[in-house]
Amino acid sequence: MKWIKEFSEWIIIPFILVVSITTFVIQPTEVLGSSMEPTLHNEDRVYISKISHTLNYEPDYGDIVIIDSHINSDHTLKEDIIENPIISLIYQNQDHNVWIKRVVGKSGDTLEFKDNKVYRNGKLLEEPYIKEAMLDNPDRTVVVPENHVFVMGDNRNNSSDSRIIGCVPLDHILGKRLF
């Protein structure tokens, strides 16, 4: 009986604590690809704050967010736990991907793409963080639906973002980049 008590004190309790912290508070992740260059590069390690996801906060303009790639299905607490990096190691969950993008539009915003530039609610966005000007981006207008955000990569000519995948539901924003 003493062995079981010691085992739970040294293994089970710390395991539950680490899983809880990486599910609800802070989580490391790795950048895969070049869609966020020059801000983030392939294989950079970033730490994300999960508090905004846990407390259902809407991200701010310019925030770099981590997105659950399964945007066409509901995101639940069960998925948060299963997709935790530590639980993924145990179950070898290779099916899950996350995307890292920058928030450009929030609920109710009208985004216009014209002359390879982005306008939000009629004002040209100043984007000193982008790698280069967009090329071959067709002119169009998008209204961001309620409880969604519009995200784009900083490497606009090499990013699968809301221009392709559509607006992202807020419950699929898993957190925002801390450092």
Side-chain angles (χ1 to χ4, degrees), residues 154-170:
D154 291 355
N155 186 356
R156 298 290 163 80
N157 296 315
N158 189 22
S159 177
S160 293
D161 49 40
S162 288
R163 294 172 292 172
I164 296 168
I165 64 171
C167 295
V168 176
L170 287 177

Side-chain angles (χ1 to χ4, degrees), residues 27-120:
Q27 176 182 322
T29 193
E30 184 176 24
V31 176
L32 299 175
S34 61
S35 72
M36 283 301 293
E37 288 180 356
T39 307
L40 299 171
H41 299 277
N42 189 41
E43 298 183 354
D44 279 355
R45 295 290 289 167
V46 296
Y47 290 85
I48 61 173
S49 168
K50 304 280 296 228
I51 300 213
S52 58
H53 176 68
T54 302
L55 300 176
N56 295 317
Y57 291 153
E58 183 178 40
D60 290 326
Y61 297 120
D63 282 350
I64 295 175
V65 294
I66 288 58
I67 302 164
D68 174 10
S69 64
H70 300 128
I71 63 170
N72 294 324
S73 62
D74 291 336
H75 190 85
T76 64
L77 176 61
K78 178 182 173 187
E79 288 170 332
D80 282 340
I81 293 168
I82 290 171
E83 294 164 357
N84 179 291
I86 293 161
I87 301 297
S88 291
L89 287 174
I90 295 168
Y91 289 105
Q92 297 180 351
N93 179 9
Q94 301 298 323
D95 181 43
H96 184 255
N97 289 313
V98 295
W99 298 323
I100 300 177
K101 305 293 178 194
R102 188 178 299 272
V103 175
V104 175
K106 300 190 324 185
S107 298
D109 285 339
T110 300
L111 298 172
E112 295 176 84
F113 298 89
K114 55 185 177 184
D115 301 325
N116 293 317
K117 293 185 170 88
V118 183
Y119 296 81
R120 182 175 53 229

Side-chain angles (χ1 to χ4, degrees), residues 113-163:
F113 298 89
K114 55 185 177 184
D115 301 325
N116 293 317
K117 293 185 170 88
V118 183
Y119 296 81
R120 182 175 53 229
N121 301 323
K123 295 182 180 175
L124 177 65
L125 292 185
E126 292 188 32
E127 302 177 292
Y129 44 78
I130 65 173
K131 184 172 184 174
E132 58 194 7
M134 288 186 292
L135 302 174
D136 301 323
N137 193 51
D139 290 356
R140 67 180 179 144
T141 301
V142 176
V143 176
V144 182
E146 191 69 30
N147 296 317
H148 285 71
V149 291
F150 194 95
V151 296
M152 297 177 77
D154 291 355
N155 186 356
R156 298 290 163 80
N157 296 315
N158 189 22
S159 177
S160 293
D161 49 40
S162 288
R163 294 172 292 172

